[in-house]
PDB file of all heavy atoms in Angstrom:
ATOM      1  N   VAL G 277     -15.049  -6.011 170.735  1.00 97.00           N
ATOM      2  CA  VAL G 277     -14.246  -5.551 169.604  1.00 97.00           C
ATOM      3  C   VAL G 277     -13.785  -6.786 168.849  1.00 97.00           C
ATOM      4  O   VAL G 277     -13.204  -7.705 169.439  1.00 97.00           O
ATOM      5  CB  VAL G 277     -13.026  -4.726 170.080  1.00 97.00           C
ATOM      6  CG1 VAL G 277     -12.153  -4.324 168.898  1.00 97.00           C
ATOM      7  CG2 VAL G 277     -13.487  -3.495 170.855  1.00 97.00           C
ATOM      8  N   ILE G 278     -14.040  -6.799 167.548  1.00 96.00           N
ATOM      9  CA  ILE G 278     -13.625  -7.914 166.700  1.00 96.00           C
ATOM     10  C   ILE G 278     -12.393  -7.468 165.923  1.00 96.00           C
ATOM     11  O   ILE G 278     -12.455  -6.549 165.117  1.00 96.00           O
ATOM     12  CB  ILE G 278     -14.738  -8.320 165.706  1.00 96.00           C
ATOM     13  CG1 ILE G 278     -16.071  -8.558 166.421  1.00 96.00           C
ATOM     14  CG2 ILE G 278     -14.293  -9.543 164.903  1.00 96.00           C
ATOM     15  CD1 ILE G 278     -16.082  -9.687 167.396  1.00 96.00           C
ATOM     16  N   GLY G 279     -11.271  -8.110 166.194  1.00 93.00           N
ATOM     17  CA  GLY G 279     -10.029  -7.808 165.488  1.00 93.00           C
ATOM     18  C   GLY G 279      -8.982  -7.245 166.417  1.00 93.00           C
ATOM     19  O   GLY G 279      -9.227  -6.283 167.145  1.00 93.00           O
ATOM     20  N   GLY G 280      -7.811  -7.872 166.397  1.00 90.00           N
ATOM     21  CA  GLY G 280      -6.728  -7.466 167.279  1.00 90.00           C
ATOM     22  C   GLY G 280      -5.647  -6.669 166.593  1.00 90.00           C
ATOM     23  O   GLY G 280      -4.531  -6.579 167.081  1.00 90.00           O
ATOM     24  N   GLY G 281      -5.984  -6.055 165.460  1.00 88.00           N
ATOM     25  CA  GLY G 281      -5.035  -5.163 164.807  1.00 88.00           C
ATOM     26  C   GLY G 281      -5.001  -3.828 165.536  1.00 88.00           C
ATOM     27  O   GLY G 281      -5.637  -3.640 166.585  1.00 88.00           O
ATOM     28  N   SER G 283      -6.331  -0.944 164.959  1.00 89.00           N
ATOM     29  CA  SER G 283      -7.624  -0.272 165.137  1.00 89.00           C
ATOM     30  C   SER G 283      -8.449  -0.942 166.222  1.00 89.00           C
ATOM     31  O   SER G 283      -9.070  -0.268 167.049  1.00 89.00           O
ATOM     32  CB  SER G 283      -8.413  -0.263 163.825  1.00 89.00           C
ATOM     33  OG  SER G 283      -7.761   0.510 162.857  1.00 89.00           O
ATOM     34  N   GLY G 284      -8.461  -2.262 166.216  1.00 92.00           N
ATOM     35  CA  GLY G 284      -9.202  -2.985 167.248  1.00 92.00           C
ATOM     36  C   GLY G 284      -8.636  -2.743 168.632  1.00 92.00           C
ATOM     37  O   GLY G 284      -9.382  -2.515 169.594  1.00 92.00           O
ATOM     38  N   LEU G 285      -7.318  -2.788 168.743  1.00 91.00           N
ATOM     39  CA  LEU G 285      -6.688  -2.529 170.042  1.00 91.00           C
ATOM     40  C   LEU G 285      -6.961  -1.110 170.509  1.00 91.00           C
ATOM     41  O   LEU G 285      -7.256  -0.873 171.684  1.00 91.00           O
ATOM     42  CB  LEU G 285      -5.180  -2.785 169.956  1.00 91.00           C
ATOM     43  CG  LEU G 285      -4.772  -4.238 169.728  1.00 91.00           C
ATOM     44  CD1 LEU G 285      -3.272  -4.325 169.481  1.00 91.00           C
ATOM     45  CD2 LEU G 285      -5.177  -5.111 170.893  1.00 91.00           C
ATOM     46  N   LEU G 300     -12.133  -8.472 173.615  1.00 95.00           N
ATOM     47  CA  LEU G 300     -11.432  -8.333 172.342  1.00 95.00           C
ATOM     48  C   LEU G 300     -11.296  -9.727 171.750  1.00 95.00           C
ATOM     49  O   LEU G 300     -10.746 -10.630 172.393  1.00 95.00           O
ATOM     50  CB  LEU G 300     -10.049  -7.713 172.553  1.00 95.00           C
ATOM     51  CG  LEU G 300      -9.175  -7.592 171.314  1.00 95.00           C
ATOM     52  CD1 LEU G 300      -9.723  -6.520 170.379  1.00 95.00           C
ATOM     53  CD2 LEU G 300      -7.748  -7.268 171.700  1.00 95.00           C
ATOM     54  N   ILE G 301     -11.803  -9.901 170.550  1.00 95.00           N
ATOM     55  CA  ILE G 301     -11.754 -11.202 169.879  1.00 95.00           C
ATOM     56  C   ILE G 301     -10.882 -11.064 168.641  1.00 95.00           C
ATOM     57  O   ILE G 301     -11.111 -10.194 167.804  1.00 95.00           O
ATOM     58  CB  ILE G 301     -13.167 -11.678 169.483  1.00 95.00           C
ATOM     59  CG1 ILE G 301     -14.031 -11.812 170.731  1.00 95.00           C
ATOM     60  CG2 ILE G 301     -13.092 -12.986 168.700  1.00 95.00           C
ATOM     61  CD1 ILE G 301     -15.482 -12.071 170.447  1.00 95.00           C
ATOM     62  N   SER G 302      -9.866 -11.913 168.551  1.00 94.00           N
ATOM     63  CA  SER G 302      -8.948 -11.861 167.416  1.00 94.00           C
ATOM     64  C   SER G 302      -8.581 -13.277 167.010  1.00 94.00           C
ATOM     65  O   SER G 302      -8.407 -14.143 167.867  1.00 94.00           O
ATOM     66  CB  SER G 302      -7.683 -11.089 167.813  1.00 94.00           C
ATOM     67  OG  SER G 302      -6.783 -11.052 166.731  1.00 94.00           O
ATOM     68  N   LYS G 303      -8.454 -13.496 165.729  1.00 92.00           N
ATOM     69  CA  LYS G 303      -8.067 -14.830 165.262  1.00 92.00           C
ATOM     70  C   LYS G 303      -6.566 -15.070 165.382  1.00 92.00           C
ATOM     71  O   LYS G 303      -6.104 -16.196 165.264  1.00 92.00           O
ATOM     72  CB  LYS G 303      -8.556 -15.087 163.836  1.00 92.00           C
ATOM     73  CG  LYS G 303      -7.960 -14.180 162.794  1.00 92.00           C
ATOM     74  CD  LYS G 303      -8.567 -14.462 161.425  1.00 92.00           C
ATOM     75  CE  LYS G 303      -8.012 -13.508 160.404  1.00 92.00           C
ATOM     76  NZ  LYS G 303      -8.602 -13.698 159.092  1.00 92.00           N
TER      77      LYS G 303
END
Side-chain angles (χ1 to χ4, degrees):
V277 177
I278 308 296
S283 295
L285 293 173
L300 176 71
I301 300 171
S302 179
K303 64 183 177 182

